[in-house]
Amino acid sequence: MAVARTSYRRRYGHRRVTTAVAVALAILAGAGVAGAGPDPGPASRTSAASSSDATSRRGTLLSAERLYTLASPEDSAAELTASGYDPGAARHGVDAYRLLYRTVDAQGRPTTASGLFTLPRGLHGRLPTVSFAHGTGVHRVDAPSMQRKVFLTGPSVSYASAGFATVAPDYLGMGTGRGTHPWMDVPSETTASLDLLRAARRFAPRTGRTLDRDILVTGFSQGASAALGLGRALQAGEDRHFGLGALAPVSGAYDFGGTQIPALLAGDGELEPRWGMVYAAYTLVAFDRVRDVYDDPDEVFRDPAVAELFDGVHTGPQMLGALPRTLDELLTPYGRDLLAHPKGGLAAGLRVTDRVCKDWKVKAPTRLYMARGDEQATVRNTARCAAAFHAGGSEVSVVDLGAVDHQTSRHLGSNVRATAEVVRWFSTLRTLRPGNAR
């Protein structure tokens, strides 16, 4: 494997967790988010004083940088076409900004994060507002505020050109934020998303706009779970300005431990093996960043350098080129057994991740979007999510996008097709007029 080898403990400070350290590591970033649920592991904040300070500063806008302008509807349509998205709803040009703001990390400590804020040109006053959460990336530039005319920015431009103010969090450890990314940690995805909304609310008046109170929440793949986390927090009243207007997650791994991981371990052809390697490795590495899963990577990986592929510096192609081709080459027997039968920190983390559709009754209009034959997120995730919502008395519907493709990927194709569908649906829920107030 062409990865520079460095002592894992020296580089990342990893160690067996003592009782005192375990307290700090086990804290959910969403401990203050209603609906995040009790932490199944040891739970306490590092100190009441630091927690209070971090909470009071969350959403503070640190900087706003104009990234680009699409001067006309035609420019927006051309941008969307170049990115592979449907330009049919483009009615406005777009101004795009990178916002840097204060939030908290996965242990509840103060940190910073970045995100993309896009606005429709020619519309002022109160704007209907969309929050879009993106799918999995491994390099810190695999984030909406860091790239343009690519898969990542298509949804933001789609919504903004249709008349919506749109926020798209980069997440912790991506974009210009600090640290490494705690992938599939729904509580920290929730806080990063909510705090970007707060920062955007502070910035919007400088442009002659304000944000509508009822947020239209969507997200793709990893971002589908993040969208549900944000929707839950908004409905619970975790922000005094914002509430939940609608939910439209796309192709999520909502039952990550119960359905997604067993599917990638099965190796029966339902999921594409290459991505099975990625998600198996990323699960172990990322969950270990938040909760103690292993003492050293060589316990779970045959080549412990695999852990360094997810440091935010390696690109997707570098990662894919370096990962083994089979799970037997990737994982030790203990590593495979840990994924098959989670315990300790991994089991605790998965219990939180797998609760996104459980134990709450969504009151806003909700649609779950999926594509038949999804090769990365088994469609059973969506079925399980819908069943959990229905069992709790929620009225949600499943939208089957069909067998769509985007550069041979039905998973990616679902994001493209769903974006066009969700734009139309959101447009029926809000009247797109300048100054429209609830």
Side-chain angles (χ1 to χ4, degrees):
M1 178 179 294
V3 178
R5 297 294 299 274
T6 305
S7 168
Y8 188 80
R9 288 188 176 88
R10 183 171 71 250
R11 183 169 180 179
Y12 297 107
H14 202 76
R15 60 277 179 263
R16 183 171 297 279
V17 180
T18 65
T19 300
V21 176
V23 169
L25 282 177
I27 300 162
L28 288 176
V33 177
D39 185 355
S44 171
R45 287 196 179 273
T46 50
S47 73
S50 63
S51 174
S52 176
D53 179 62
T55 299
S56 66
R57 302 172 72 188
R58 284 177 48 190
T60 299
L61 178 66
L62 298 176
S63 67
E65 175 188 359
R66 187 193 294 268
L67 298 177
Y68 52 88
T69 291
L70 304 173
S72 68
E74 292 75 20
D75 290 338
S76 296
E79 183 100 351
L80 291 171
T81 300
S83 301
Y85 286 81
D86 184 351
R91 301 288 183 269
H92 304 274
V94 173
D95 290 315
Y97 302 86
R98 179 189 296 124
L99 304 185
L100 180 66
Y101 60 99
R102 296 189 187 279
T103 187
V104 289
D105 67 13
Q107 287 78 40
R109 301 171 301 203
T111 190
T112 61
S114 57
L116 182 66
F117 184 39
T118 48
L119 291 167
R121 292 176 65 82
L123 290 182
H124 295 84
R126 178 165 291 187
L127 299 180
T129 304
V130 170
S131 175
F132 171 77
H134 69 86
T136 297
V138 295
H139 195 286
R140 64 172 45 252
V141 302
D142 296 332
S145 82
M146 303 299 287
Q147 299 194 38
R148 181 185 169 193
K149 288 187 178 180
V150 292
F151 190 75
L152 283 164
T153 55
S156 292
V157 174
S158 294
Y159 294 115
S161 66
F164 298 90
T166 306
V167 296
D170 291 336
Y171 303 142
L172 297 181
M174 302 192 76
T176 63
R178 305 170 186 167
T180 53
H181 177 49
W183 181 68
M184 291 300 292
D185 180 54
V186 175
S188 65
E189 292 166 351
T190 298
T191 52
S193 299
L194 183 56
D195 292 344
L196 177 57
L197 274 169
R198 291 165 170 161
R201 176 179 169 271
R202 290 175 167 90
F203 174 68
R206 303 182 193 177
T207 71
R209 285 91 158 188
T210 58
L211 305 186
D212 195 18
R213 293 178 61 85
D214 291 337
I215 305 303
L216 308 167
V217 180
T218 182
F220 164 65
S221 194
Q222 172 189 358
S225 290
L228 288 174
L230 175 61
R232 192 172 192 160
L234 291 171
Q235 180 174 289
E238 288 301 316
D239 186 90
R240 63 191 181 93
H241 297 286
F242 296 123
L244 177 61
L247 265 173
V250 180
S251 300
Y254 313 108
D255 189 33
F256 192 70
T259 298
Q260 183 69 20
I261 290 178
L264 69 87
L265 290 176
D268 58 5
E270 179 187 13
L271 302 183
E272 209 282 327
R274 177 182 58 168
W275 291 107
M277 300 304 104
V278 174
Y279 295 139
Y282 211 175
T283 297
L284 292 168
V285 173
F287 278 71
D288 187 61
R289 289 172 178 165
V290 181
R291 301 163 182 272
D292 189 51
V293 173
Y294 49 77
D295 292 331
D296 202 271
D298 60 11
E299 296 178 19
V300 295
F301 298 120
R302 292 191 181 277
D303 184 346
V306 162
E308 298 181 18
L309 295 172
F310 301 91
D311 57 5
V313 177
H314 289 83
T315 66
Q318 287 173 333
M319 174 205 63
L320 288 169
L323 283 175
R325 297 296 179 181
T326 68
L327 286 172
D328 288 339
E329 293 174 297
L330 174 70
L331 301 173
T332 64
Y334 174 75
R336 182 159 188 151
D337 184 69
L338 185 60
L339 284 177
H341 307 97
K343 59 185 178 181
L346 181 59
L350 289 172
R351 283 195 292 271
V352 175
T353 300
D354 288 355
R355 289 188 62 243
V356 291
C357 306
K358 302 173 182 176
D359 305 324
W360 69 297
K361 182 178 180 179
V362 61
K363 300 175 182 177
T366 300
R367 294 181 176 180
L368 308 176
Y369 292 79
M370 50 76 67
R372 271 175 276 160
D374 191 320
E375 83 286 359
Q376 293 191 41
T378 171
V379 296
R380 294 196 300 277
N381 281 294
T382 301
R384 290 282 184 91
C385 182
F389 272 129
H390 292 154
S394 301
E395 295 183 9
V396 305
S397 59
V398 174
V399 178
D400 186 343
L401 300 165
V404 295
D405 282 323
H406 176 81
Q407 297 177 354
T408 73
S409 170
R410 290 183 178 178
H411 187 62
L412 300 184
S414 70
N415 189 31
V416 174
R417 175 73 62 83
T419 296
E421 297 275 348
V422 176
V423 166
R424 286 191 286 270
W425 183 49
F426 282 173
S427 296
T428 68
L429 298 176
R430 307 302 299 170
T431 302
L432 302 184
R433 292 199 308 267
N436 175 50
R438 180 167 164 263

